[in-house]
Amino acid sequence: MRVVALLCAGVALLAAACAPKSETPVKDSAATAAPPVVDVAAVRQGIEQANAKFIDAMIRGDSAGMLANYADDAVLMDPGTPLRRGRGEIGASFAKKIQSAKVSDEKATTASVDVAGDYAIETGSFEWTVTPKGGKPMPDKGKYLTVWKKQADGSWKVYRDINNSDGPPPKS
């Protein structure tokens, strides 16, 4: 009987030793660390400041100033034009636009900014007046969606940009 009791006690100890143990979380592990807290208000403020610089550059006819907001791998999708990829194509498009028309009375209003990691999605609306060379002023308003990407230096640059007018398409 004593052997059976010892044997049962041994099995119980072995079972306890082999039972799964709850894991102790590692506090400093990158895998378990909480994501960094993002100050969305600060990101929005930076985006609105960048937009103000863009508008100022556009009104002054400064294509290089307009391009300063865009990341190297940006994509621009304006209405009525082919997609432009990269700073070279986008810069050439801006230069062509400012040579063919004057923009005035431009306003951009950020409606929302949602931040996820190194990306921020901005939605908003715009109003402006475009006066083609030799043409009449054409007031316009519309909306946009811009994806901003955080750069290695901590700045935010336009990564994807699309906009369109609320008005009817231009007549050909």
Side-chain angles (χ1 to χ4, degrees):
M1 184 82 136
R2 188 169 186 208
V3 171
V4 171
L6 283 174
L7 186 58
C8 286
V11 169
L13 282 173
L14 183 60
C18 293
K21 295 183 169 76
S22 63
E23 294 183 25
T24 304
V26 179
K27 301 265 189 243
D28 61 350
S29 168
T32 60
V37 176
V38 176
D39 185 349
V40 177
V43 173
R44 181 181 179 134
Q45 182 181 22
I47 287 171
E48 288 175 340
Q49 289 171 350
N51 286 340
K53 289 178 183 177
F54 178 87
I55 290 169
D56 180 61
M58 182 178 268
I59 289 171
R60 287 184 293 109
D62 175 10
S63 62
M66 293 167 60
L67 186 60
N69 270 5
Y70 286 77
D72 291 339
D73 55 350
V75 173
L76 177 62
M77 297 172 275
D78 281 333
T81 62
L83 175 143
R84 273 80 36 125
R85 191 177 300 275
R87 289 175 56 91
E89 289 181 14
I90 294 169
S93 172
F94 287 162
K96 184 177 178 182
K97 280 182 183 181
I98 64 172
Q99 289 172 0
S100 65
K102 173 83 174 136
V103 175
S104 59
D105 306 322
E106 185 173 359
K107 291 186 283 189
T109 304
T110 300
S112 68
V113 174
D114 299 302
V115 181
D118 288 343
Y119 296 91
I121 303 166
E122 175 195 15
T123 57
S125 60
F126 66 87
E127 291 183 44
W128 59 9
T129 299
V130 178
T131 306
K133 297 275 185 205
K136 294 182 180 180
M138 300 182 307
D140 190 19
K141 62 182 179 176
K143 62 266 183 204
Y144 63 90
L145 186 140
T146 303
V147 178
W148 296 77
K149 186 175 181 181
K150 190 172 187 177
Q151 304 299 295
D153 66 1
S155 67
W156 292 85
K157 299 282 185 183
V158 174
Y159 178 62
R160 300 292 186 261
D161 196 10
I162 187 167
N163 69 82
N164 55 55
S165 175
D166 290 344
K171 295 179 183 180
S172 17

PDB file of all heavy atoms in Angstrom, residues 153-169:
ATOM      1  N   ASP A 153      13.001  61.998 -40.802  1.00  0.00           N
ATOM      2  CA  ASP A 153      13.353  63.165 -39.981  1.00  0.00           C
ATOM      3  C   ASP A 153      12.202  63.616 -39.074  1.00  0.00           C
ATOM      4  O   ASP A 153      12.310  64.619 -38.380  1.00  0.00           O
ATOM      5  CB  ASP A 153      13.823  64.328 -40.855  1.00  0.00           C
ATOM      6  CG  ASP A 153      12.730  64.895 -41.752  1.00  0.00           C
ATOM      7  OD1 ASP A 153      11.569  64.408 -41.714  1.00  0.00           O
ATOM      8  OD2 ASP A 153      13.024  65.852 -42.490  1.00  0.00           O
ATOM      9  N   GLY A 154      11.076  62.878 -39.090  1.00  0.00           N
ATOM     10  CA  GLY A 154       9.935  63.208 -38.244  1.00  0.00           C
ATOM     11  C   GLY A 154       8.902  64.097 -38.917  1.00  0.00           C
ATOM     12  O   GLY A 154       7.811  64.290 -38.388  1.00  0.00           O
ATOM     13  N   SER A 155       9.223  64.650 -40.091  1.00  0.00           N
ATOM     14  CA  SER A 155       8.262  65.494 -40.802  1.00  0.00           C
ATOM     15  C   SER A 155       7.214  64.617 -41.493  1.00  0.00           C
ATOM     16  O   SER A 155       7.401  63.417 -41.664  1.00  0.00           O
ATOM     17  CB  SER A 155       8.981  66.370 -41.829  1.00  0.00           C
ATOM     18  OG  SER A 155       9.519  65.567 -42.866  1.00  0.00           O
ATOM     19  N   TRP A 156       6.123  65.227 -41.880  1.00  0.00           N
ATOM     20  CA  TRP A 156       5.063  64.544 -42.621  1.00  0.00           C
ATOM     21  C   TRP A 156       5.042  65.088 -44.044  1.00  0.00           C
ATOM     22  O   TRP A 156       5.056  66.294 -44.257  1.00  0.00           O
ATOM     23  CB  TRP A 156       3.712  64.788 -41.946  1.00  0.00           C
ATOM     24  CG  TRP A 156       3.600  64.116 -40.617  1.00  0.00           C
ATOM     25  CD1 TRP A 156       4.026  64.601 -39.414  1.00  0.00           C
ATOM     26  CD2 TRP A 156       3.049  62.837 -40.357  1.00  0.00           C
ATOM     27  NE1 TRP A 156       3.766  63.695 -38.430  1.00  0.00           N
ATOM     28  CE2 TRP A 156       3.160  62.591 -38.970  1.00  0.00           C
ATOM     29  CE3 TRP A 156       2.459  61.854 -41.151  1.00  0.00           C
ATOM     30  CZ2 TRP A 156       2.713  61.426 -38.367  1.00  0.00           C
ATOM     31  CZ3 TRP A 156       2.001  60.684 -40.548  1.00  0.00           C
ATOM     32  CH2 TRP A 156       2.132  60.482 -39.176  1.00  0.00           C
ATOM     33  N   LYS A 157       5.019  64.174 -45.022  1.00  0.00           N
ATOM     34  CA  LYS A 157       4.976  64.552 -46.437  1.00  0.00           C
ATOM     35  C   LYS A 157       3.791  63.853 -47.105  1.00  0.00           C
ATOM     36  O   LYS A 157       3.382  62.756 -46.705  1.00  0.00           O
ATOM     37  CB  LYS A 157       6.264  64.137 -47.165  1.00  0.00           C
ATOM     38  CG  LYS A 157       7.535  64.771 -46.631  1.00  0.00           C
ATOM     39  CD  LYS A 157       7.669  66.178 -47.100  1.00  0.00           C
ATOM     40  CE  LYS A 157       9.010  66.756 -46.648  1.00  0.00           C
ATOM     41  NZ  LYS A 157       9.161  68.124 -47.015  1.00  0.00           N
ATOM     42  N   VAL A 158       3.283  64.483 -48.159  1.00  0.00           N
ATOM     43  CA  VAL A 158       2.174  63.896 -48.913  1.00  0.00           C
ATOM     44  C   VAL A 158       2.675  62.630 -49.596  1.00  0.00           C
ATOM     45  O   VAL A 158       3.669  62.644 -50.318  1.00  0.00           O
ATOM     46  CB  VAL A 158       1.623  64.893 -49.952  1.00  0.00           C
ATOM     47  CG1 VAL A 158       0.566  64.230 -50.824  1.00  0.00           C
ATOM     48  CG2 VAL A 158       1.064  66.128 -49.263  1.00  0.00           C
ATOM     49  N   TYR A 159       1.938  61.542 -49.375  1.00  0.00           N
ATOM     50  CA  TYR A 159       2.267  60.243 -49.957  1.00  0.00           C
ATOM     51  C   TYR A 159       1.290  59.896 -51.092  1.00  0.00           C
ATOM     52  O   TYR A 159       1.695  59.417 -52.137  1.00  0.00           O
ATOM     53  CB  TYR A 159       2.218  59.197 -48.841  1.00  0.00           C
ATOM     54  CG  TYR A 159       2.492  57.787 -49.257  1.00  0.00           C
ATOM     55  CD1 TYR A 159       3.712  57.424 -49.804  1.00  0.00           C
ATOM     56  CD2 TYR A 159       1.534  56.793 -49.063  1.00  0.00           C
ATOM     57  CE1 TYR A 159       3.960  56.111 -50.173  1.00  0.00           C
ATOM     58  CE2 TYR A 159       1.786  55.480 -49.415  1.00  0.00           C
ATOM     59  CZ  TYR A 159       2.997  55.148 -49.974  1.00  0.00           C
ATOM     60  OH  TYR A 159       3.252  53.847 -50.335  1.00  0.00           O
ATOM     61  N   ARG A 160       0.011  60.160 -50.870  1.00  0.00           N
ATOM     62  CA  ARG A 160      -1.022  59.964 -51.890  1.00  0.00           C
ATOM     63  C   ARG A 160      -1.974  61.158 -51.805  1.00  0.00           C
ATOM     64  O   ARG A 160      -2.358  61.573 -50.713  1.00  0.00           O
ATOM     65  CB  ARG A 160      -1.816  58.672 -51.661  1.00  0.00           C
ATOM     66  CG  ARG A 160      -0.962  57.410 -51.681  1.00  0.00           C
ATOM     67  CD  ARG A 160      -0.420  57.138 -53.081  1.00  0.00           C
ATOM     68  NE  ARG A 160       0.278  55.879 -53.190  1.00  0.00           N
ATOM     69  CZ  ARG A 160       1.591  55.735 -53.145  1.00  0.00           C
ATOM     70  NH1 ARG A 160       2.372  56.787 -52.950  1.00  0.00           N
ATOM     71  NH2 ARG A 160       2.156  54.558 -53.295  1.00  0.00           N
ATOM     72  N   ASP A 161      -2.365  61.687 -52.964  1.00  0.00           N
ATOM     73  CA  ASP A 161      -3.164  62.904 -52.985  1.00  0.00           C
ATOM     74  C   ASP A 161      -4.184  62.830 -54.107  1.00  0.00           C
ATOM     75  O   ASP A 161      -3.817  62.582 -55.261  1.00  0.00           O
ATOM     76  CB  ASP A 161      -2.226  64.102 -53.192  1.00  0.00           C
ATOM     77  CG  ASP A 161      -2.850  65.437 -52.865  1.00  0.00           C
ATOM     78  OD1 ASP A 161      -3.955  65.477 -52.291  1.00  0.00           O
ATOM     79  OD2 ASP A 161      -2.214  66.458 -53.176  1.00  0.00           O
ATOM     80  N   ILE A 162      -5.449  63.024 -53.770  1.00  0.00           N
ATOM     81  CA  ILE A 162      -6.506  63.028 -54.781  1.00  0.00           C
ATOM     82  C   ILE A 162      -7.506  64.116 -54.424  1.00  0.00           C
ATOM     83  O   ILE A 162      -7.780  64.364 -53.260  1.00  0.00           O
ATOM     84  CB  ILE A 162      -7.203  61.649 -54.901  1.00  0.00           C
ATOM     85  CG1 ILE A 162      -8.171  61.614 -56.077  1.00  0.00           C
ATOM     86  CG2 ILE A 162      -7.879  61.250 -53.601  1.00  0.00           C
ATOM     87  CD1 ILE A 162      -8.655  60.224 -56.434  1.00  0.00           C
ATOM     88  N   ASN A 163      -8.015  64.790 -55.446  1.00  0.00           N
ATOM     89  CA  ASN A 163      -9.010  65.838 -55.225  1.00  0.00           C
ATOM     90  C   ASN A 163      -9.947  65.889 -56.423  1.00  0.00           C
ATOM     91  O   ASN A 163      -9.606  65.421 -57.509  1.00  0.00           O
ATOM     92  CB  ASN A 163      -8.343  67.190 -54.992  1.00  0.00           C
ATOM     93  CG  ASN A 163      -7.687  67.716 -56.232  1.00  0.00           C
ATOM     94  OD1 ASN A 163      -8.326  68.309 -57.094  1.00  0.00           O
ATOM     95  ND2 ASN A 163      -6.376  67.513 -56.354  1.00  0.00           N
ATOM     96  N   ASN A 164     -11.126  66.463 -56.210  1.00  0.00           N
ATOM     97  CA  ASN A 164     -12.016  66.710 -57.327  1.00  0.00           C
ATOM     98  C   ASN A 164     -12.994  67.817 -56.984  1.00  0.00           C
ATOM     99  O   ASN A 164     -13.247  68.125 -55.830  1.00  0.00           O
ATOM    100  CB  ASN A 164     -12.748  65.427 -57.779  1.00  0.00           C
ATOM    101  CG  ASN A 164     -13.499  64.751 -56.663  1.00  0.00           C
ATOM    102  OD1 ASN A 164     -14.323  65.365 -56.004  1.00  0.00           O
ATOM    103  ND2 ASN A 164     -13.197  63.492 -56.436  1.00  0.00           N
ATOM    104  N   SER A 165     -13.503  68.412 -58.027  1.00  0.00           N
ATOM    105  CA  SER A 165     -14.405  69.555 -57.944  1.00  0.00           C
ATOM    106  C   SER A 165     -15.810  69.093 -57.608  1.00  0.00           C
ATOM    107  O   SER A 165     -16.228  67.986 -57.970  1.00  0.00           O
ATOM    108  CB  SER A 165     -14.411  70.287 -59.285  1.00  0.00           C
ATOM    109  OG  SER A 165     -15.365  71.321 -59.270  1.00  0.00           O
ATOM    110  N   ASP A 166     -16.553  69.955 -56.925  1.00  0.00           N
ATOM    111  CA  ASP A 166     -17.965  69.685 -56.698  1.00  0.00           C
ATOM    112  C   ASP A 166     -18.793  70.061 -57.922  1.00  0.00           C
ATOM    113  O   ASP A 166     -19.943  69.649 -58.029  1.00  0.00           O
ATOM    114  CB  ASP A 166     -18.482  70.486 -55.500  1.00  0.00           C
ATOM    115  CG  ASP A 166     -17.927  69.979 -54.173  1.00  0.00           C
ATOM    116  OD1 ASP A 166     -17.401  68.853 -54.126  1.00  0.00           O
ATOM    117  OD2 ASP A 166     -18.005  70.727 -53.186  1.00  0.00           O
ATOM    118  N   GLY A 167     -18.207  70.857 -58.822  1.00  0.00           N
ATOM    119  CA  GLY A 167     -18.939  71.327 -60.001  1.00  0.00           C
ATOM    120  C   GLY A 167     -18.927  70.305 -61.126  1.00  0.00           C
ATOM    121  O   GLY A 167     -18.279  69.268 -61.053  1.00  0.00           O
ATOM    122  N   PRO A 168     -19.629  70.642 -62.200  1.00  0.00           N
ATOM    123  CA  PRO A 168     -19.648  69.750 -63.352  1.00  0.00           C
ATOM    124  C   PRO A 168     -18.274  69.728 -64.028  1.00  0.00           C
ATOM    125  O   PRO A 168     -17.493  70.657 -63.885  1.00  0.00           O
ATOM    126  CB  PRO A 168     -20.693  70.368 -64.275  1.00  0.00           C
ATOM    127  CG  PRO A 168     -20.720  71.810 -63.887  1.00  0.00           C
ATOM    128  CD  PRO A 168     -20.389  71.861 -62.429  1.00  0.00           C
ATOM    129  N   PRO A 169     -17.993  68.652 -64.750  1.00  0.00           N
ATOM    130  CA  PRO A 169     -16.714  68.602 -65.476  1.00  0.00           C
ATOM    131  C   PRO A 169     -16.627  69.727 -66.499  1.00  0.00           C
ATOM    132  O   PRO A 169     -17.652  70.168 -67.026  1.00  0.00           O
ATOM    133  CB  PRO A 169     -16.709  67.241 -66.170  1.00  0.00           C
ATOM    134  CG  PRO A 169     -17.997  66.591 -65.835  1.00  0.00           C
ATOM    135  CD  PRO A 169     -18.801  67.496 -64.969  1.00  0.00           C
TER     136      PRO A 169
END
